[in-house]
């Protein structure tokens, strides 16, 4: 490391120039960064349900539904029906909207003296204002179970307009246009929205908002923590400058490679601000500990000692993130892991090259500042070490209670893939979905896909039977298909609400439906494919499991040569997402634990010592999952990251502590002096790192996304546990019985 240290100091101006140039280049690409908040689009497309979901969208005019709700005093007033018609036409004027289902566009089959007539339920161009007509219309529609709760609420105070976005359209932009169109219509009532496109629009807005609000808050708070730890501006400026540069590099790289920000990669700047300064903290602390009269020598000594531990610590951190690449099938999580690794790598390079160069330039042959008086971190480290020296039984009892409570909590862990649950209660998404769940059938589509002759009596009967099966589940309150229309036509003509058994008769009925726009949603152009549109009003895990098991079994039993069936839809994809989240959690944890144990054993050249180093992290993991179970925080698309990230970051504390301790042993210091040396040097930097990480990730509590709030809270909790466990358990584990003789920690200065 001597040669490396000399070159860093010798080429300091070149290093600084190169870093500035790269930063300017990557900063230029930030203008091209885009956002994609669609969690579903990151599912692996080799899954059959995902492929079928996309195919249905392409074949039947889009599977992205934007729901607009109008709530007033009475849907069946002339004014409100007129507004419904105007809103329907306004939404249809958007080229990317394929079809809008509403009271003024829904076909109604009636028998007249001239024969069968198919017309809209409400003729928006001829709305009588007489109360008698409006009351009869209200009674007619509310008597129809297929319409009540689907297009009109039972209290007749709210109605829905259901728009389908065409495939390949930009759903976020289309949703914005829909909102602008609807809200431009004068309406004194309440307008609410639902559907996945609206969810994506709000996620996009929140992602952008969080980047410009939470990041600065985290930056300011971490600066205060660093100043409290180092008592000088260099100890604040260099770590924060490092993470800002690393953040610019990684975000520029995302834009340069054509990737988009997601709800997870959105958190990378905050994580880097919180985590990336950890390495610079250790370098600066080492420089202060090893300071000499000549800054040149002080810097050499600091680099020589700290470079290897920092490299090893960053490798373990990157291992925690890499475990998601190796253990997860979710592209969303893989991308987060990939760019997090890039950010950590950038922080490492800047720490061991840029920070020393900047320290030497800013000190410019002046003596480093003399050691400041003890601060809060020095005192806290001393007290923790004193606790491990004189109160071993108390420590053992405390951590035993933590483990027992953690094991109890682990048995109570829950999972969640409810996308609506990502939002706060006052969000437009949450409010809209609450109304849709209370007054309507919900907004989560469930599709049963059929392949066969859609004019065949057997196929249509099977579609009708499947709908009857779906109605047996309370969480599927509504479904519709082409079989409904054929049955209605047959009822008007023959008084029989069933599918005719004669194919020729079906063809005659089908002729009456030609040209109806709704048919494009129900059958393919060649009449060889059809789909049932069902709506699910709950997405809790129990319902998702039931749908998967019941409908998978049903389609297998009822598929045949003349009619093949398959199931997909939002509930099926959410269950697939949940399965992959669980798989990601288990696989990533196994990979991270095994790799870290092997790496620490290799670093310490002892499998026993390597295992001892992992003990604080093991207890931290038990505490993490225990607190999740006890407090009811579920494993979701964000909190699934906590385990492996905790391993990757928390093991850094143990490595730095163990490195200082073993160095003391190599210098032939006593066991007690080696431990005290580790506490008063690495212990201080561990506490400063712990506090800065907690300060940074805690700012996620101000996010408008609930999963990121949970992630920030859990990471803050685990960082505290990992830091305290490292400084109390490792002295106890390393020293064994001999440490019992140690008295109160006295201030000592390290001599060589």
């Amino acid at each position: 490391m001597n040669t490396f240290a000399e070159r860093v100091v010798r080429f300091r101006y070149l290093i600084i120039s190169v870093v500035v140039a790269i930063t300017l280049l990557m900063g230029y690409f930030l203008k091209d960064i885009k956002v994609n908040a669609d969690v579903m689009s990151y599912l692996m497309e080799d899954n059959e349900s995902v492929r079928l979901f996309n195919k249905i969208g392409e074949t039947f005019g889009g599977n992205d539904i934007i729901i607009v709700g109008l709530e007033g005093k009475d849907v069946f007033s002339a004014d409100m029906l007129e507004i419904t018609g105007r809103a329907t036409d306004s939404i249809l004027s958007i080229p990317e909207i394929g079809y809008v289902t509403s009271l003024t566009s829904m076909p109604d089959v009636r028998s007249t003296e001239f024969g069968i007539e198919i017309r809209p339920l409400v003729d928006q161009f001829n709305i009588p204002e007489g109360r008698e007509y409006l009351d009869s219309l209200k009674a007619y529609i509310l008597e129809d179970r297929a319409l009540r709760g689907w297009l009109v609420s039972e209290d007749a105070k709210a109605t829905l307009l259901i728009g389908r976005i065409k495939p390949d359209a930009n759903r976020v932009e289309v949703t914005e246009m829909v909102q602008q169109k609807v809200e431009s219509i004068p309406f004194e009532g309440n307008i609410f929205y639902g559907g996945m496109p609206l969810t994506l629009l709000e996620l996009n807005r929140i992602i952008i908002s969080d980047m410009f609000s939470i990041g600065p808050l985290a930056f300011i708070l971490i600066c205060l923590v660093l100043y409290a730890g180092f008592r000088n501006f260099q100890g604040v400026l260099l770590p924060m400058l490092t993470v800002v540069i690393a953040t610019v590099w990684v975000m520029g790289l995302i834009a340069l490679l054509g990737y988009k920000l997601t709800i997870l990669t959105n958190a990378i700047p905050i994580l880097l601000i919180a985590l990336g300064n950890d390495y610079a903290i250790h370098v600066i602390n080492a420089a202060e500990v090893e300071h000499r009269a000549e800054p040149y020598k002080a810097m050499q000594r600091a680099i020589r000692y700290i470079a290897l531990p920092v490299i090893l610590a960053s490798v373990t951190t990157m291992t925690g993130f890499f475990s998601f690449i190796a253990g997860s099938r979710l592209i969303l999580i893989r991308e987060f892991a990939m760019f997090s690794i890039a950010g950590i790598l950038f922080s490492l390079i800047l720490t061991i090259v840029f920070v020393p160069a900047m320290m030497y330039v800013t000190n410019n042959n002046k003596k480093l500042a003399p050691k400041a008086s003890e601060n809060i971190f020095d005192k806290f480290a001393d007290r923790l070490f004193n606790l491990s020296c004189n109160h071993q039984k108390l420590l053992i009892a405390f951590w035993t209670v933590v483990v027992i409570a953690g094991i109890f909590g682990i048995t109570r862990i829950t999972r969640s893939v409810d996308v609506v649950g990502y939002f706060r209660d006052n969000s437009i998404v949450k409010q809209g979905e609450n109304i849709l769940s209370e007054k309507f059938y919900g907004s989560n589509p469930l599709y049963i896909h059929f392949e066969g002759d859609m004019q065949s009596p057997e196929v249509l009967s099977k579609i009708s039977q499947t709908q009857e099966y779906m109605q047996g589940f309370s969480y599927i309150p509504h479904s519709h298909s082409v079989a409904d229309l054929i049955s209605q036509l047959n009822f008007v003509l023959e008084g029989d609400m069933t599918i005719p058994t004669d194919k020729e008769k079906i063809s005659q009925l089908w002729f009456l439906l030609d040209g109806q726009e709704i048919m494009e949603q129900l059958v393919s152009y060649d009449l060889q494919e059809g789909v049932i549109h069902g709506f699910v009003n709950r997405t809790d895990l129990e319902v998702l499991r039931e749908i998967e098991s019941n409908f998978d079994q049903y389609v297998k039993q009822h598929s045949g040569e003349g009619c093949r069936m398959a199931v997909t839809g939002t509930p099926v994809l959410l269950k697939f997402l949940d399965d992959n989240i669980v798989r990601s959690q288990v696989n990533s944890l196994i990979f991270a634990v095994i790799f870290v144990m092997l790496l620490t054993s290799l670093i310490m050249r002892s499998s026993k010592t390597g295992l001892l180093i992992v003990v604080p992290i093991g207890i931290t993991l038990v505490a993490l999952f225990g607190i999740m179970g006890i407090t009811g925080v579920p494993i979701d698309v964000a909190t699934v990251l906590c385990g492996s990230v905790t391993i990757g970051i928390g093991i850094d504390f143990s490595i730095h502590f163990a490195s200082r301790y073993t160095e003391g042993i190599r210098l032939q210091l006593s066991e007690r002096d080696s431990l005290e040396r580790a506490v008063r040097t690495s212990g201080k930097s561990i506490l400063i790192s712990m506090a800065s990480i907690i300060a940074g990730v805690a700012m996620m509590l101000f996010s408008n996304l609930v999963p990121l709030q949970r992630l920030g809270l859990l990471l803050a909790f685990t960082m505290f546990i990992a830091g305290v466990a490292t400084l109390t358990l490792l002295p106890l584990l390393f020293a064994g019985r001999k440490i019992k003789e140690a008295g109160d920690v006295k201030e000592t200065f390290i001599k060589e």
Side-chain angles (χ1 to χ4, degrees):
M1 283 295 174
N2 283 336
T3 303
F4 175 76
E6 291 173 359
R7 289 178 178 174
V8 167
V9 174
R10 184 187 309 165
F11 298 108
R12 56 192 179 277
Y13 290 108
L14 177 61
I15 290 170
I16 294 171
S17 300
V18 170
V19 168
V20 170
I22 295 175
T23 304
L24 291 174
L25 177 64
M26 288 302 184
Y28 171 78
F29 290 107
L30 290 178
K31 65 180 178 59
D32 300 323
I33 203 159
K34 294 181 175 61
V35 178
N36 179 12
D38 187 0
V39 177
M40 298 300 183
S41 68
Y42 290 95
L43 296 175
M44 300 295 287
E45 293 189 0
D46 60 351
N47 178 266
E48 185 61 35
S49 296
V50 176
R51 282 203 301 264
L52 180 59
F53 186 81
N54 293 333
K55 178 184 177 183
I56 287 175
E58 295 169 0
T59 306
F60 301 97
N63 49 27
D64 289 308
I65 299 173
I66 172 70
I67 298 175
V68 177
L70 303 176
E71 188 175 28
K73 295 181 180 179
D74 183 9
V75 169
F76 298 98
S77 65
D79 289 342
M80 190 135 178
L81 290 175
E82 181 187 358
I83 290 171
T84 302
R86 288 178 60 188
T88 301
D89 290 342
S90 187
I91 296 172
L92 274 173
S93 68
I94 301 173
E96 292 82 3
I97 293 291
Y99 186 77
V100 177
T101 302
S102 72
L103 290 176
T104 60
S105 67
M106 184 68 183
D108 180 37
V109 182
R110 296 193 186 190
S111 176
T112 68
E113 57 182 324
F114 304 105
I116 291 179
E117 183 180 9
I118 301 178
R119 60 186 180 185
L121 274 169
V122 177
D123 184 356
Q124 69 180 89
F125 302 107
N126 184 25
I127 301 176
E129 297 186 4
R131 191 67 253 174
E132 183 179 349
Y133 170 81
L134 294 174
D135 287 342
S136 65
L137 177 65
K138 177 179 180 179
Y140 176 77
I141 291 177
L142 292 181
E143 284 177 2
D144 191 333
R145 184 178 179 276
L147 299 176
R148 186 182 68 249
W150 180 41
L151 290 182
V152 181
S153 61
E154 289 195 18
D155 60 7
K157 292 183 178 180
T159 184
L160 298 184
L161 294 77
I162 305 172
R164 290 189 174 273
I165 300 176
K166 293 180 180 178
D168 301 325
N170 187 315
R171 289 168 289 180
V172 171
E173 292 180 0
V174 174
T175 304
E176 283 184 315
M177 287 189 283
V178 168
Q179 285 184 318
Q180 292 170 3
K181 294 277 190 181
V182 173
E183 291 172 9
S184 67
I185 299 173
F187 179 56
E188 295 179 356
N190 176 39
I191 301 176
F192 58 92
Y193 301 91
M196 186 59 70
L198 173 75
T199 302
L200 301 183
L201 173 62
E202 287 304 302
L203 284 175
N204 274 33
R205 289 172 175 170
I206 290 173
I207 287 173
I208 295 172
S209 172
D210 282 356
M211 282 186 62
F212 291 100
S213 60
I214 298 178
L217 286 175
F219 186 91
I220 293 170
L221 193 56
I222 292 173
C223 285
L224 295 176
V225 171
L226 293 177
Y227 187 77
F230 290 111
R231 303 286 182 86
N232 61 69
F233 288 105
Q234 181 177 258
V236 176
L237 176 64
L238 290 182
M240 298 313 295
L241 183 60
T242 299
V243 296
V244 168
I245 293 173
T247 301
V248 171
W249 286 11
V250 75
M251 300 305 283
L253 184 65
I254 290 174
L256 178 63
L257 297 179
Y259 287 87
K260 298 179 180 180
L261 284 184
T262 68
I263 62 172
L264 295 185
T265 52
N266 171 51
I268 288 178
I270 303 168
L271 287 175
L272 279 183
I273 290 173
L275 310 179
N277 61 39
D278 175 54
Y279 310 128
I281 288 171
H282 286 285
V283 169
I284 295 171
N285 189 60
E288 289 188 353
V289 170
E290 305 289 348
H291 73 279
R292 286 295 183 270
E294 293 294 332
Y296 183 90
K297 293 181 180 179
M299 199 55 55
Q300 277 187 312
R301 290 168 56 78
I303 297 174
R304 186 175 68 241
Y305 162 68
I306 203 67
L308 184 58
V310 165
I311 291 172
L312 294 174
S314 65
V315 169
T316 57
T317 302
M318 287 188 283
T319 298
F321 288 105
F322 181 78
S323 65
F324 290 112
I325 298 177
S328 177
R329 297 183 71 245
L330 292 176
I331 301 173
L332 181 76
I333 293 178
R334 287 184 177 182
E335 287 186 7
F336 168 80
M338 180 172 65
F339 289 109
S340 294
I341 290 172
I344 297 298
L345 180 60
F346 294 155
S347 297
L348 169 64
I349 294 171
L350 291 167
T351 296
I352 62 177
V353 176
F354 177 71
V355 169
M358 284 292 295
M359 288 185 73
Y360 188 79
V361 168
T362 53
N363 284 306
N364 196 22
N365 294 325
K366 296 182 294 186
K367 292 183 179 181
L368 294 176
K371 180 175 173 60
S373 60
E374 282 193 340
N375 58 36
I376 186 173
F377 297 105
D378 295 303
K379 294 177 181 178
F380 190 35
D382 285 351
R383 291 187 179 183
L384 289 177
F385 182 63
N386 187 48
L387 187 64
S388 65
C389 290
N390 301 316
H391 302 282
Q392 298 178 35
K393 291 183 179 179
L394 179 63
L395 276 178
I396 293 171
F398 172 77
W399 289 114
T400 300
V401 170
V402 170
V403 171
I404 293 173
I407 293 172
F408 169 76
I410 289 173
T411 63
R412 303 169 65 88
I413 283 183
T414 59
R415 311 197 306 262
S416 174
V417 287
D418 180 15
V419 179
V420 176
Y422 291 0
F423 299 89
R424 292 183 174 184
D425 291 338
N426 62 352
S427 71
I428 184 175
V429 173
K430 202 70 169 286
Q431 291 174 347
E433 288 297 331
N434 287 340
I435 296 175
L436 289 171
S437 298
E438 293 170 5
K439 294 191 172 186
F440 296 93
Y441 292 150
S443 62
N444 298 293
L446 177 66
Y447 301 122
I448 310 294
H449 180 258
F450 293 81
E451 287 187 30
D453 182 1
M454 289 299 108
Q455 293 185 336
S456 164
E458 292 78 18
V459 172
L460 288 172
S461 295
K462 189 163 290 187
I463 292 175
S464 182
Q465 292 166 9
T466 304
Q467 286 185 259
E468 291 179 7
Y469 176 75
M470 295 171 73
Q471 291 171 5
F473 298 93
S474 60
Y475 45 79
I476 310 178
H478 174 76
S479 68
H480 61 271
S481 71
V482 69
D484 293 329
L485 297 178
I486 296 296
S487 298
Q488 289 174 16
L489 286 171
N490 195 46
F491 176 76
V492 172
L493 282 175
E494 305 292 341
D496 186 5
M497 196 71 171
T498 60
I499 302 294
T501 57
D502 184 5
K503 186 174 182 179
E504 184 176 347
K505 187 173 183 179
I506 291 176
S507 298
Q508 294 173 356
L509 296 175
W510 204 281
F511 177 77
L512 298 173
L513 295 172
D514 278 346
Q516 296 294 325
E517 291 183 351
I518 195 173
M519 292 295 287
E520 298 176 7
Q521 303 178 46
L522 305 177
V523 295
S524 62
Y525 181 76
D526 61 3
L527 305 184
Q528 293 303 305
E529 294 179 67
V531 65
I532 297 175
H533 295 261
F535 287 88
V536 178
N537 57 18
R538 286 170 51 196
T539 56
D540 52 274
L541 201 55
E542 181 182 353
V543 167
L544 300 183
R545 289 186 185 129
E546 282 190 28
I547 289 175
E548 181 183 56
S549 60
N550 290 326
F551 283 88
D552 279 353
Q553 183 179 4
Y554 182 87
V555 297
K556 286 178 182 177
Q557 291 177 347
H558 293 81
S559 290
E561 288 187 8
C563 180
R564 286 179 292 178
M565 301 167 58
V567 60
T568 188
T570 300
V572 177
L573 299 190
L574 288 176
K575 183 59 174 64
F576 177 63
L577 178 64
D578 175 72
D579 291 341
N580 278 275
I581 286 175
V582 173
R583 190 178 295 113
S584 298
Q585 181 74 87
V586 174
N587 292 347
S588 62
L589 277 180
I590 292 174
F591 179 89
V593 168
I594 292 175
F595 189 88
V596 166
M597 289 177 64
L598 292 175
L599 185 61
T600 52
S601 298
L602 182 63
I603 292 170
M604 306 310 297
R605 298 182 182 179
S606 166
S607 58
K608 182 178 179 181
T609 306
L611 289 175
L612 291 179
I613 289 177
V614 175
V615 168
I617 291 303
I619 292 177
T620 302
L621 286 177
V622 173
L624 164 65
F625 292 112
I627 200 69
M628 289 178 69
I630 292 171
T631 60
V633 175
I635 295 176
D636 58 30
V637 71
T639 57
V640 69
L641 306 172
C642 285
S644 294
V645 171
T646 296
I647 293 174
I649 300 169
I651 199 66
D652 292 3
F653 299 160
S654 297
I655 288 176
H656 284 292
F657 186 92
S659 297
R660 274 292 184 185
Y661 169 74
T662 54
E663 186 191 38
I665 296 297
R666 286 197 299 270
L667 293 174
Q668 298 184 339
L669 299 178
S670 68
E671 199 167 55
R672 187 254 186 202
D673 288 343
S674 297
L675 287 170
E676 184 178 358
R677 182 178 190 269
V679 168
R680 296 194 57 77
T681 54
S682 288
K684 175 186 175 182
S685 57
I686 286 170
L687 290 175
I688 295 174
S689 296
M690 179 191 78
S692 66
I693 292 172
I694 291 173
V697 298
M699 291 301 98
M700 291 186 190
L701 291 173
F702 294 100
S703 172
N704 286 306
L705 288 178
V706 174
L708 290 187
Q709 293 175 357
R710 295 168 179 160
L711 178 63
L713 184 63
L714 291 175
L715 286 178
F717 171 78
T718 56
M719 289 303 99
F720 178 78
I721 296 294
V724 173
T726 298
L727 296 179
T728 55
L729 286 175
L730 286 188
L732 191 64
L733 294 171
F734 283 170
R737 296 180 180 273
K738 296 181 182 179
I739 204 169
K740 290 181 179 179
E741 301 174 359
D744 292 338
V745 177
K746 298 177 182 179
E747 182 160 354
T748 60
F749 190 75
I750 302 169
K751 298 180 180 179
E752 289 196 350

